[in-house]
Amino acid sequence: MTGIMTDFKPVVGYLALHARVGILPMYLEGTYEAMPKGTTLIKNRDVAARIGRFLEIEELEEMTKGMPRAEAYRLIAARVRHEVVNLRDRTRSEFDAKQLRKLWKSERKKELVSEEVAV
């Protein structure tokens, strides 16, 4: 509870794919400052909401086509987080699913190698 955005949980991808619904990314600004951890009263009311582009279920299904379910859920969570970061930073950087999957694959390989060395 630091006010810093962490990775999104893969459950958002699970819910989207299993319920066959799209996702509307939103960024809520100023909420941590208005009510930091441990407070019971709102300190100020300078909060705002930024609403992103609706991610259609067809787009999410196409992006995850042929992928193992766990990886598909994780990729959707990363995509939604990317959209929220764009809203927070007021940027429009593209999401590169292929590059992210390559990164995850290399991380898995490193983990396997380190486990083999430890044994």
Side-chain angles (χ1 to χ4, degrees), residues 8 12 23 25 55 75-85:
F8 286 19
V12 69
I23 300 171
L55 304 174
L75 186 63
I76 291 172
R79 170 67 190 272
V80 175
R81 184 184 190 284
H82 177 84
E83 295 298 326
V84 173
V85 167

Side-chain angles (χ1 to χ4, degrees), residues 9-54:
K9 302 291 183 192
V11 71
V12 69
Y14 170 82
L15 292 171
L17 291 179
H18 283 277
R20 293 210 74 248
V21 295
I23 300 171
L24 182 65
M26 294 181 67
Y27 175 70
L28 301 175
E29 182 178 25
T31 55
Y32 183 77
E33 293 80 8
M35 195 165 186
K37 182 180 177 183
T39 61
T40 55
L41 297 174
I42 295 175
K43 290 188 174 190
N44 67 42
R45 293 185 173 90
D46 295 332
V47 295
R50 294 193 199 118
I51 302 171
R53 181 182 69 80
F54 185 70

Side-chain angles (χ1 to χ4, degrees), residues 74 101-117:
R74 188 176 173 203
R101 291 183 73 202
K102 281 183 185 180
L103 175 66
W104 290 345
K105 189 174 182 178
S106 69
E107 288 173 353
R108 281 193 302 269
K109 284 182 181 178
K110 287 179 188 176
E111 288 175 11
L112 289 174
V113 168
S114 64
E115 285 176 10
E116 290 175 2
V117 171

